[in-house]
Amino acid sequence: DAGVIQSPRHEVTEMGQEVTLRCKPISGHDYLFWYRQTMMRGLELLIYFNNNVPIDDSGMPEDRFSAKMPNASFSTLKIQPSEPRDSAVYFCASSITGGHPYNEQFFGPGTRLTVL
Amino acid sequence: GNSVTQMEGPVTLSEEAFLTINCTYTATGYPSLFWYVQYPGEGLQLLLKATKADDKGSNKGFEATYRKETTSFHLEKGSVQVSDSAVYFCALSVRAAGNKLTFGGGTRVLVKP
């Protein structure tokens, strides 16, 4: 079975440019999570969706960040304009309702973003 | 609210040494507890889990016991290998939060030959 798919795996861009990260969750999963990982701040939950609807976006750092989930098999995280402090590894994860009490999340391989 | 506290790393060990990573939690409601592992250059993956008090989760030689009285879920392995070098995350979930996980800060483990 295919796991969570993220693209691109690596992205290098210049400050001020728009960046779009993409995620395809595991088929049949109805929860999707976006995380950011840095050495300084560790693993942070940015936003998560249930049935394509954003449930909690309190972790989104500022208005430059936006996330969408137009259908059950695709989500994007956009940064516009990007800044050097956005450099991090961004993970997407998915899980399925009814998985409780396990609630296992399946993580993608991550996108390493570098903003110069 | 919900929170997870785990020991800071890095933890450096020699091969075949005993590993313990402490994890304590606070939760509203009755949590399920997890350990996730992140190998270099990869995403997190579930290592083991426990869903009620006194449950013991185990996988790949790792064990952790759900201790409700001490609100702890310490991870142990009796004899580590170089391949166990990774970052380990303790996490919890509660039913009221749906499928959201609350993660600890992660503990980096380095095993030297």
Side-chain angles (χ1 to χ4, degrees):
Chain A
D1 289 340
V4 175
I5 299 172
Q6 292 187 246
S7 65
R9 293 294 310 276
H10 302 274
E11 176 81 28
V12 180
T13 190
E14 293 189 347
M15 182 174 62
Q17 296 298 305
E18 178 179 294
V19 175
T20 299
L21 310 182
R22 298 172 175 81
C23 175
K24 176 178 169 59
I26 293 172
S27 177
H29 283 194
D30 56 344
Y31 278 88
L32 185 139
F33 304 81
W34 282 101
Y35 293 89
R36 179 173 67 176
Q37 186 177 40
T38 62
M39 290 294 293
M40 291 296 294
R41 301 174 69 91
L43 187 69
E44 301 173 277
L45 176 64
L46 300 178
I47 185 171
Y48 74 98
F49 297 83
N50 181 218
N51 290 323
N52 313 335
V53 176
I55 303 300
D56 183 354
D57 66 354
S58 59
M60 295 287 262
E62 45 195 281
D63 291 346
R64 298 185 296 108
F65 286 69
S66 62
K68 295 182 179 179
M69 192 164 186
N71 57 63
S73 59
F74 184 66
S75 178
T76 59
L77 178 67
K78 185 176 295 186
I79 308 172
Q80 167 63 19
S82 58
E83 297 183 1
R85 59 194 169 115
D86 301 330
S87 298
V89 180
Y90 291 82
F91 289 103
C92 176
S94 70
S95 67
I96 187 168
T97 296
H100 188 89
Y102 303 118
N103 290 356
E104 179 177 359
Q105 290 186 15
F106 295 81
F107 280 73
T111 294
R112 181 174 296 276
L113 174 65
T114 302
V115 183
L116 303 175
Chain B
N2 301 320
S3 68
V4 176
T5 302
Q6 59 182 109
M7 58 191 290
E8 291 191 19
V11 175
T12 303
L13 303 165
S14 298
E15 210 165 19
E16 298 184 1
F18 185 87
L19 170 68
T20 299
I21 304 176
N22 291 338
C23 171
T24 57
Y25 66 89
T26 58
T28 54
Y30 201 119
S32 295
L33 302 174
F34 308 83
W35 277 100
Y36 278 76
V37 60
Q38 183 181 27
Y39 298 106
E42 299 183 9
L44 282 70
Q45 57 185 274
L46 182 66
L47 179 61
L48 54 83
K49 57 185 181 287
T51 61
K52 60 184 187 294
D54 300 324
D55 269 1
K56 178 184 286 188
S58 62
N59 187 24
K60 299 182 180 180
F62 290 89
E63 293 184 340
T65 300
Y66 190 143
R67 299 291 187 197
K68 192 168 186 293
E69 65 276 12
T70 55
T71 62
S72 64
F73 193 55
H74 304 322
L75 182 68
E76 298 181 335
K77 185 173 186 181
S79 177
V80 294
Q81 306 299 312
V82 173
S83 57
D84 294 323
S85 298
V87 181
Y88 293 83
F89 293 88
C90 186
L92 68 83
S93 71
V94 294
R95 184 179 291 274
N99 283 27
K100 179 181 174 180
L101 289 172
T102 299
F103 284 95
T107 302
R108 183 176 300 275
V109 173
L110 177 61
V111 181
K112 296 185 175 181

